[in-house]
């Protein structure tokens, strides 16, 4: 018997498995009571810690490929994963952007329990967009953005998850992947030709060249824009189409964990994002992203307002705790 619905919110979560035979020995002398109780603790996700990881990224300056801020932040992220006990892989690649610019890109992967065959990928993009092309003020359209929500929020949540899972090994292997060059897509103000496949360059590269030969994961979860104030997460279209059972599972874990106000049981729009590259190589993957079916992205999206003021600790907590609870529910 497996008792679910035991998510008692933050501090300590118990998943009880095993057989709890009926009644006590008082009822019947010859009824043997077998009781096996396996207690798996899902750690508490610390939103203050995640918030600090978001801020540290923003303090480097916009993480636009080919800039010192980008290089420095890449070093920071790889070092953090290593200090949290992960085996770190770096993928350096020269990737061609929409305008022909060669981006010195770096995908950063932290593997936990690398010999475990049952693996779950947790992903976010760590670069920030070079253009605030949706800013209300046209003067900002060619300026880079902080990308506090768009990029850094997902990375901040995953760094906090990395810090937590090093303390209590889950039954499954975890790969935390920070994709680069997701957000260098053709700007809205551009008129004329451009190279196609201009978004998600880092994950496209990873799809062609995984960090481990023959790599496979049972599931992938992408976090993109998971820090907005009062964010609502609808079930993203490509995720539902290609990994419906994972969507249902994660949304039900969210509800059991008390976050049904964030994870809505409704279909959202389709978002071309890094999870699509996982789907292309056969990994069932979903995108947890703030994207309203009619209103689209958060109003700060691709604007100069996507800075630290756009970040809510409550939202980071809802997403981070949900993902942790999901991970610790997985069995070997
Ligand atoms: C498109 O707008 C085509 N994709 C959204 C993916 C994205 C951009 N995620 C963050 N920034
Ligand atoms: Zn973006």
């Amino acid at each position: 018997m497996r008792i679910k619905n035991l998510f008692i919110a933050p501090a300590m979560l118990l998943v009880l498995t095993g057989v709890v035979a009926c009644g006590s020995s008082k009822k019947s002398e010859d009824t043997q009571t077998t009781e096996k109780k396996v207690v798996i603790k899902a750690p508490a996700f610390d939103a203050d810690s995640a918030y600090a990881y978001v801020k540290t990224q923003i303090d480097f300056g916009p993480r636009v490929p080919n800039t010192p801020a980008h290089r420095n932040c890449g070093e920071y992220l790889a070092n953090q994963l290593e200090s949290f006990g992960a085996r770190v892989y770096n993928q350096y690649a020269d990737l061609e952007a929409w305008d022909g610019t060669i981006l010195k890109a770096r995908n950063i992967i932290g593997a936990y329990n690398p010999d475990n065959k049952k693996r779950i990928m947790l992903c976010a993009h760590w670069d920030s967009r070079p253009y605030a092309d949706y800013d209300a003020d046209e003067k900002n359209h060619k300026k880079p953005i902080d990308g506090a929500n768009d990029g850094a929020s997902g990375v901040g949540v995953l760094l906090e998850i990395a810090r937590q899972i090093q303390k209590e090994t889950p039954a499954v292997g975890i790969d935390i992947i920070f994709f680069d060059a997701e957000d260098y897509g053709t700007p809205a103000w551009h008129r004329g030709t451009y190279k196609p496949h201009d978004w998600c360059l880092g994950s496209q590269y990873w799809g062609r060249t995984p960090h481990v030969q023959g790599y496979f994961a049972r599931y992938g979860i992408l976090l993109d824009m998971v820090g907005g104030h009062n964010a609502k997460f609808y079930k993203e279209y490509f995720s539902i189409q290609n990994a419906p059972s994972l969507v249902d599972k994660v949304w039900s874990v969210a509800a059991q964990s008390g976050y049904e106000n964030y994870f809505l049981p409704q279909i959202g729009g389709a978002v071309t994002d890094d999870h699509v590259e996982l789907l292309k190589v056969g990994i069932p993957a979903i995108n947890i992203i703030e994207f309203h079916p009619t209103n689209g992205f958060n109003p700060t999206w691709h604007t100069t307002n996507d800075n630290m003021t756009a970040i809510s600790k409550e939202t980071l907590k809802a997403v981070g705790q949900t993902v942790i609870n999901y991970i610790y529910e997985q069995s070997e």
Side-chain angles (χ1 to χ4, degrees):
M1 173 164 93
R2 186 139 200 228
I3 303 168
K4 292 177 188 160
N5 289 328
L6 250 173
F7 285 111
I8 325 163
M12 203 216 256
L13 299 155
L14 305 174
V15 177
L16 303 175
T17 58
V19 188
V20 182
C22 52
S24 64
S25 48
K26 279 176 216 147
K27 260 187 188 166
S28 154
E29 276 142 25
D30 45 23
T31 302
Q32 270 245 311
T33 304
T34 46
E35 192 163 319
K36 190 175 157 236
K37 213 170 162 189
V38 181
V39 178
I40 306 163
K41 263 191 245 175
F45 180 91
D46 184 337
D48 292 325
S49 171
Y51 184 91
Y53 296 139
V54 176
K55 181 158 190 318
T56 302
Q57 294 170 77
I58 272 49
D59 288 345
F60 284 106
R63 284 97 48 227
V64 172
N66 299 350
T67 66
H70 179 268
R71 283 190 291 278
N72 294 337
C73 187
E75 280 304 289
Y76 161 74
L77 295 175
N79 289 336
Q80 285 298 100
L81 287 175
E82 201 164 326
S83 78
F84 296 149
R87 179 189 291 180
V88 175
Y89 301 80
N90 290 288
Q91 296 192 305
Y92 296 96
D94 289 350
L95 303 176
E96 189 182 59
W98 65 277
D99 58 352
T101 303
I102 299 301
L103 307 178
K104 294 282 183 191
R106 177 181 186 178
N107 291 332
I108 304 163
I109 298 116
Y112 288 88
N113 226 337
D115 297 329
N116 193 328
K117 287 276 167 283
K118 181 171 184 185
R119 311 205 60 74
I120 294 175
M121 283 177 80
L122 305 176
C123 325
H125 76 88
W126 74 271
D127 61 307
S128 55
R129 183 156 178 76
Y131 329 104
D133 48 350
Y134 281 83
D135 202 277
D137 185 346
E138 205 183 321
K139 287 198 296 296
N140 292 332
H141 283 191
K142 295 187 180 181
K143 288 184 187 159
I145 65 170
D146 279 355
N149 194 28
D150 190 356
S153 65
V155 170
V157 165
L158 293 184
L159 283 176
E160 173 58 9
I161 290 176
R163 190 175 77 92
Q164 294 297 339
I165 59 179
Q166 65 166 346
K167 301 177 186 169
E168 178 83 41
T169 310
V172 291
I174 303 289
D175 297 299
I176 290 178
I177 307 207
F178 298 145
F179 289 122
D180 199 355
E182 187 276 342
D183 228 348
Y184 213 109
T186 308
W189 41 257
H190 175 68
R191 297 288 169 265
T193 58
Y194 57 91
K195 313 274 176 191
H197 320 299
D198 49 349
W199 303 90
C200 305
L201 298 177
S203 56
Q204 287 184 47
Y205 176 82
W206 181 87
R208 296 191 293 273
T209 323
H211 62 289
V212 169
Q213 222 187 357
Y215 178 85
F216 190 70
R218 301 227 176 148
Y219 295 115
I221 299 176
L222 173 65
L223 306 183
D224 195 3
M225 300 185 262
V226 292
H229 293 278
N230 302 310
K232 304 289 177 208
F233 301 106
Y234 293 84
K235 298 177 172 182
E236 187 273 329
Y237 180 81
F238 296 128
S239 309
I240 294 185
Q241 286 300 305
N242 298 285
S245 62
L246 180 59
V247 173
D248 287 346
K249 182 71 202 167
V250 170
W251 259 250
S252 82
V253 168
Q256 286 162 9
S257 308
Y259 301 118
E260 66 276 1
N261 293 339
Y262 291 88
F263 289 77
L264 303 185
Q266 291 153 44
I267 301 183
V271 184
T272 303
D273 209 342
D274 292 322
H275 66 313
V276 171
E277 302 307 317
L278 275 59
L279 291 171
K280 283 184 191 164
V281 297
I283 298 171
I286 66 168
N287 193 4
I288 301 177
I289 186 165
E290 185 188 350
F291 186 67
H292 188 278
T294 47
N295 302 338
F297 296 115
N298 187 292
T300 63
W301 183 69
H302 293 183
T303 76
T304 54
N305 295 326
D306 184 0
N307 54 38
M308 283 312 290
T309 65
I311 299 300
S312 152
K313 287 184 187 176
E314 288 71 24
T315 304
L316 297 175
K317 171 73 179 175
V319 174
Q321 194 65 62
T322 295
V323 174
I324 288 199
N325 292 353
Y326 168 78
I327 289 169
Y328 283 82
E329 253 208 33
Q330 302 305 299
S331 47
E332 193 75 53

